[in-house]
Amino acid sequence: MRRLSDGRWVGLLGIGWFVLFIVGAAVLQGEPPPAGGPVAQVRDFFHTAGRQYLVGDLVAGCAFMLLLLPFGVLLPRALSTVDRPAPWWSPLTAAGVVGLVTVGGVATSFLDAVAMARGDTRLDDSTVAALLYANSAGIALIGLPAAVFAASAATLVRHAAGPRTVAVLGWVAAALLVTGAAFPVAGNAHGPLWTIRFTSFLTLAAFVLATSGHLLTRRPRSAPGSG
């Protein structure tokens, strides 16, 4: 049986993150009503789907904490070779993914509180509205550490002589993530900046998948003088 290299294990982490994230966030959680909308819609949503929302958040949280976090931390080592060791700035990749997971965990906790209450009227309208706005601000802030992660990881791919198209995908994701982080400033829950923010995370997911595919399919380089 052929043993998987360290790089291929990291590639599997990236693919596993994508699968769990889609199951947790897209399939189970769905999309709750946006901030600024009628509070009654928020109550109805969490009264009906509060338990399912929490299960989805748990699955998505496991995807980020147990899969994407080690993917980002181990990526510099996975991409390094004898002739191309990890560069001095590679810790930025780890710092970016740690920030992404940390900010994301805080941001999602606001709506988790509403979901735990199942839309109960013991949370008055102003409290529910404030939690939704806090969630939107936190989700926007995720874009900044995510941009650091995407940009530094993309540069690592290029440093390791990886495909230029994969690196460009990461750099584009970083630019979109920074731009999309400004969507609360527009005051429009579904305006152009929100669309950019949504697109930026799709691009980030595509970059992680492409990087994982590169790690799984590339041919390992042997040390100079080895057989």
Side-chain angles (χ1 to χ4, degrees), residues 148-163:
V148 173
F149 165 64
S152 55
T155 310
L156 274 175
V157 170
R158 246 349 252 156
H159 174 83

Side-chain angles (χ1 to χ4, degrees), residues 25-183:
V27 177
L28 293 175
Q29 281 188 313
E31 185 178 354
V39 174
Q41 290 184 5
V42 180
R43 294 189 188 281
D44 289 343
F45 176 86
F46 285 109
H47 178 73
T48 303
R51 187 182 302 276
Q52 182 175 321
Y53 184 90
L54 290 171
V55 172
D57 197 49
L58 175 62
V59 174
C62 288
F64 278 88
M65 183 64 71
L66 303 181
L67 298 174
L68 187 66
L69 181 61
F71 172 85
V73 170
L74 297 174
L75 185 61
R77 176 177 174 179
L79 289 170
S80 66
T81 60
V82 173
D83 58 327
R84 292 178 185 269
W88 64 268
W89 44 261
S90 60
L92 278 176
T93 304
V97 77
V98 168
L100 189 165
V101 171
T102 302
V103 175
V106 173
T108 56
S109 66
F110 298 118
L111 282 191
D112 285 347
V114 184
M116 290 176 68
R118 304 290 194 275
D120 197 299
T121 54
R122 285 176 293 181
L123 291 178
D124 58 38
D125 287 358
S126 60
T127 300
V128 173
L131 289 171
L132 258 71
Y133 281 119
N135 173 262
S136 293
I139 293 298
L141 185 60
I142 291 174
L144 300 182
V148 173
F149 165 64
S152 55
T155 310
L156 274 175
V157 170
R158 246 349 252 156
H159 174 83
R164 182 182 295 274
T165 53
V166 175
V168 169
L169 192 61
W171 292 325
V172 170
L176 292 174
L177 285 162
V178 172
T179 305
F183 85 86

Side-chain angles (χ1 to χ4, degrees), residues 1-4 9:
M1 179 177 179
R2 186 175 179 181
R3 183 178 178 181
L4 287 175
W9 278 116

